[in-house]
């Protein structure tokens, strides 16, 4: 039986994805945002709730949540995103139940993460960010 080769991440595809996510975020990220401040984006396809966790000269840390109406059955999708302004990239640091994403996971693994879980979570972020592209910004104090 032929042995399956180990997954090798495609760094170019991953950086392109993080670059697209950065572009989406820059379309609606407020310029003068304070630490801890929250805001909401209402788009054609739903609502995003955002909160600024960390704000430094070259990076920002933003929590993005997508509220759903059936909270009793589904956890609110939520990601923590690091925005690198010098590199023009936005990368998911943590997901719903993943506290630190690794570049590659062995498969199978106890938590049943995909081999390319980091790429998959960042692709999920891209889908979330598309909600905010056609948006109306609603600020909360």
């Amino acid at each position: 039986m032929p042995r399956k080769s180990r997954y090798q991440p495609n760094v170019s595809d991953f950086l392109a994805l993080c670059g697209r996510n950065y572009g989406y975020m820059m379309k609606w990220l407020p310029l003068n945002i304070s630490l801890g401040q929250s805001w909401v984006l209402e788009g054609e396809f739903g609502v995003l709730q955002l909160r600024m966790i960390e704000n430094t000269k070259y990076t920002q840390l933003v929590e993005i949540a997508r509220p759903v109406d059936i909270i009793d059955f589904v956890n609110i999708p939520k990601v923590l995103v690091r925005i690198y302004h010098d590199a023009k990239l936005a990368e998911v640091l943590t997901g719903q139940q993943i506290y630190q994403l690794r570049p590659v996971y062995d498969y199978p693994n106890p938590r049943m993460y995909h081999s390319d879980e980091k790429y998959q979570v960042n692709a999920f972020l891209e889908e979330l960010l598309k909600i905010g592209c056609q948006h109306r910004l609603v600020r909360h104090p």
Side-chain angles (χ1 to χ4, degrees):
M1 178 176 257
R3 188 172 179 181
K4 188 176 176 181
S5 63
R6 182 173 163 88
Y7 168 75
Q8 292 292 319
N10 185 324
V11 176
S12 296
D13 286 350
F14 181 73
L15 291 176
L17 175 62
C18 291
R20 286 192 306 273
N21 287 344
Y22 179 85
Y24 285 131
M25 292 190 80
M26 290 303 100
K27 289 181 180 180
W28 48 258
L29 188 68
L31 292 176
N32 298 324
I33 191 81
S34 301
L35 190 63
Q37 188 174 3
S38 297
W39 68 101
V40 174
L41 289 175
E42 293 178 355
E44 180 182 349
F45 302 107
V47 174
L48 293 179
Q49 295 174 338
L50 302 108
R51 185 167 57 103
M52 183 63 65
I53 307 282
E54 184 180 290
N55 195 3
T56 66
K57 185 175 181 178
Y58 297 108
T59 66
Q60 292 176 311
L61 188 61
V62 178
E63 179 185 75
I64 302 174
R66 168 71 163 88
V68 291
D69 293 332
I70 52 173
I71 289 178
D72 295 337
F73 302 105
V74 178
N75 290 334
I76 294 175
K78 190 183 297 185
V79 291
L80 210 55
V81 179
R82 170 80 63 200
I83 303 168
Y84 302 95
H85 294 290
D86 51 349
K88 296 190 180 344
L89 299 172
E91 176 187 20
V92 175
L93 296 182
T94 64
Q96 194 69 25
Q97 290 136 352
I98 303 172
Y99 299 107
Q100 184 176 4
L101 285 165
R102 292 178 23 204
V104 176
Y105 289 91
D106 290 329
Y107 191 83
N109 58 66
R111 299 222 180 223
M112 294 306 292
Y113 294 142
H114 294 276
S115 297
D116 65 342
E117 189 76 21
K118 186 169 188 151
Y119 185 90
Q120 295 290 333
V121 172
N122 280 279
F124 171 70
L125 173 64
E126 182 178 30
E127 294 303 315
L128 276 180
L129 296 177
K130 288 178 183 177
I131 292 172
C133 283
Q134 302 291 325
H135 71 281
R136 183 174 64 105
L137 182 66
V138 181
R139 287 197 178 226
H140 289 276

